[in-house]
């Protein structure tokens, strides 16, 4: 077990140089002026906005997967899935086959939930990808085939919008022998590419009147930038209403809202990306935007390793005695504490410089995540910290 001993404090308005304070300098940093933030990214308008009323529709369905190699739901037992047995019996009954539920086995079948996202302008005949996830105690969906499953919009009273069917792709491997199994990745979740056919569209249309553009990521700067770019192409037509919407008056010669949207999609503008650091503690991943900066702060860190072990010990009785040999555990504990070191970060230090300095000091990814969390708690992270 390894613990990270970490202290983060503000260095103050006037920070002494690391050499004078006896602190270790941060590799790669000097007394040069603070680095300028990186250039903003350029993006197409179609990747930033959607027309008002054109929100996608989430679909949900309950289905049966068959063709499994004895990795499906168990029919009986405390952890069995009786609804799978009942579902298979109901399906066979629709084909005119009567079966006894008590004698029906389902190790080659599994009950699943099927989800899909319907594009607002998709019409009957369009193909949609679906995701399939096991509902019962199935061990794997690899090699299975999803039987015809209606997909409903539960928020709209259960209206069926699509029907899904097809072979399931899990992208995983499951192997077992003599009661031991090994797998790579999750096997109870899979996808059916283009596995659903739309039978009823969501009903989204382009109405006459102003065209409202809804930003995927609301931002005042980007909303004003979108309005400026649109006004360059169609003078006086766009107004930023708020951080999440830009209203565009349809010019008489634009050919209607649909033609105007097609003309606007190719426009490009400089995007003001949010200052955000995203960390995933499960995988030890840190992703930071280029606009993230770190204020004047001092970091003190160290490590503590604690190892424990239990070894068997044998106690022998004395010679010619009536005692018995007794075996018992003997525990040992070893504590090793690493040297504590400190660094001082200058104002407007970039995340890339901090990450490079910590990597050169031999810290692993989880220690780096702990440092970012402590810097955020100290108020020195000039951005948003998102922990997954």
């Amino acid at each position: 077990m390894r613990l990270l001993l970490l202290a983060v404090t503000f260095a103050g308005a006037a920070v002494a140089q690391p050499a004078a304070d006896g602190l270790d300098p941060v590799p790669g940093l000097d007394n040069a002026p603070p680095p300028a933030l990186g250039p903003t990214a350029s993006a197409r308008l179609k990747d930033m906005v959607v027309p008002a009323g054109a929100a996608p529709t989430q679909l949900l369905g309950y289905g049966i997967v068959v063709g499994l190699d004895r990795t499906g739901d168990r029919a009986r037992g405390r952890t069995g899935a009786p609804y799978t047995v009942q579902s298979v019996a109901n399906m066979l009954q629709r084909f005119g086959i009567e079966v006894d539920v008590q004698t029906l086995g389902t190790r080659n079948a599994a009950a699943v939930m099927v989800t899909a996202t319907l594009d607002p302008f998709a019409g009957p005949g369009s193909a949609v990808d679906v995701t399939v996830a096991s509902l019962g105690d199935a061990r794997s969906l690899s090699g299975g085939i999803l039987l015809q499953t209606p997909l409903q919009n539960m928020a709209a009273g259960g209206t069926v919008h699509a029907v899904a069917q097809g072979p399931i792709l899990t992208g995983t491997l499951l192997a077992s022998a003599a009661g031991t199994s090994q797998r790579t990745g999750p096997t109870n979740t899979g996808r059916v590419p283009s596995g659903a056919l739309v039978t009823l569209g969501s009903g989204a249309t382009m109405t006459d009147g102003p065209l409202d553009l809804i930003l995927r990521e609301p931002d005042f700067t980007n909303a004003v930038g979108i309005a400026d770019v649109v006004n360059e192409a169609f003078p006086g037509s766009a107004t930023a209403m708020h951080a999440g919407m830009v209203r565009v008056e349809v010019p008489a010669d634009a050919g209607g809202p649909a033609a105007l949207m097609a003309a606007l999609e190719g426009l490009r503008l400089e995007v003001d990306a949010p200052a955000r650091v995203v960390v995933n503690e499960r995988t030890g991943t840190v992703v930071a935007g280029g606009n993230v900066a770190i204020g004047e702060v001092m970091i003190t860190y160290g490590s503590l390793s604690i190892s424990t072990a239990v070894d068997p010990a044998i106690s022998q009785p004395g010679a010619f005695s009536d005692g018995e040999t007794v075996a018992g555990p003997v525990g040992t504990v070893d504590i090793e504490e690493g040297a504590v070191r400190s660094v001082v970060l200058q104002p407007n230090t970039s995340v890339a410089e901090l990450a490079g300095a910590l990597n050169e000091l031999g810290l692993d990814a989880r220690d780096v995540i702990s440092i970012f969390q402590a810097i955020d708690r100290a108020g020195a992270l000039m951005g948003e910290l998102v922990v997954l």
Side-chain angles (χ1 to χ4, degrees):
M1 179 173 60
R2 186 169 181 266
L3 304 178
L4 178 68
L5 307 179
L6 176 64
V8 177
T9 58
F10 279 109
V15 179
Q17 297 302 321
D21 288 346
L23 301 177
D24 297 332
V26 180
L29 297 185
D30 50 28
N31 296 325
L37 297 179
T40 56
S42 176
R44 297 178 303 174
L45 195 65
K46 68 181 302 180
D47 299 323
M48 299 183 60
V49 301
V50 294
T57 302
Q58 294 180 335
L59 304 179
L60 178 66
Y62 170 82
I64 296 293
V65 172
V66 297
L68 304 177
D69 186 13
R70 296 190 58 81
T71 59
D73 295 335
R74 284 178 288 186
R76 285 164 289 278
R78 291 185 302 172
T79 60
Y83 44 83
T84 304
V85 181
Q86 188 64 53
S87 299
V88 173
N90 294 344
M91 178 189 65
L92 294 177
Q93 189 176 24
R94 297 188 63 179
F95 288 96
I97 304 174
E98 295 290 341
V99 296
D100 185 2
V101 176
Q102 300 298 325
T103 61
L104 184 63
T106 58
R107 291 313 304 269
N108 292 347
V112 294
M113 299 303 297
V114 185
T115 60
T117 301
L118 179 64
D119 188 271
F121 299 108
S126 299
V128 181
D129 295 344
V130 299
T131 301
V132 181
S134 173
L135 182 63
D137 64 343
R139 292 190 294 115
S140 174
L141 299 180
S142 297
I145 297 178
L146 174 68
L147 300 183
Q148 191 176 73
T149 303
L151 301 181
Q152 310 174 47
N153 181 4
M154 305 303 294
T159 304
V160 176
H161 286 270
V163 178
Q165 181 172 283
I168 300 174
L169 303 179
T170 60
T172 58
L173 176 64
L174 175 65
S176 60
T180 302
S181 62
Q182 182 68 33
R183 68 179 183 180
T184 59
T187 56
N188 287 344
T189 303
R191 292 180 61 82
V192 184
S194 301
L197 294 179
V198 178
T199 58
L200 177 65
S202 61
T205 59
M206 301 291 290
T207 60
D208 295 333
L211 178 62
D212 291 336
L213 305 180
I214 307 301
L215 276 71
R216 301 180 189 271
E217 294 286 341
D219 184 274
F220 282 103
T221 302
N222 290 335
V224 174
I226 291 173
D228 292 340
V229 170
V230 173
N231 284 329
E232 291 179 3
F234 300 93
S237 61
T239 303
M241 307 303 295
H242 50 72
M245 188 179 76
V246 176
R247 175 161 295 172
V248 182
E249 299 292 339
V250 182
D253 58 348
L260 175 61
M261 189 65 201
L264 297 179
E265 285 184 338
L267 300 179
R268 303 189 71 91
L269 72 152
E270 300 297 325
V271 180
D272 184 47
R276 185 175 297 162
V277 179
V278 181
V279 300
N280 189 328
E281 291 187 303
R282 296 187 300 274
T283 61
T285 304
V286 181
V287 178
N291 290 334
V292 177
I294 298 174
E296 199 169 344
V297 71
M298 181 183 71
I299 303 176
T300 301
Y301 59 90
S303 61
L304 179 66
S305 298
I306 303 176
S307 60
T308 60
V310 178
D311 300 318
I314 306 298
S315 176
Q316 295 284 359
F320 306 105
S321 66
D322 295 332
E324 297 180 354
T325 301
V326 178
V330 175
T332 58
V333 178
D334 183 27
I335 300 178
E336 181 180 353
E337 185 174 0
V340 177
R341 304 180 66 187
S342 299
V343 294
V344 175
L345 303 181
Q346 300 300 322
N348 290 328
T349 298
S350 69
V351 172
E353 291 174 316
L354 173 61
L358 298 180
N359 289 335
E360 289 184 12
L361 293 174
L363 299 181
D364 58 25
R366 299 192 183 279
D367 290 346
V368 173
I369 290 176
S370 299
I371 289 177
F372 273 117
Q373 291 176 325
I375 291 175
D376 179 61
R377 295 286 295 178
L381 182 66
M382 307 307 172
E384 178 187 5
L385 179 66
V386 179
V387 181
L388 301 181

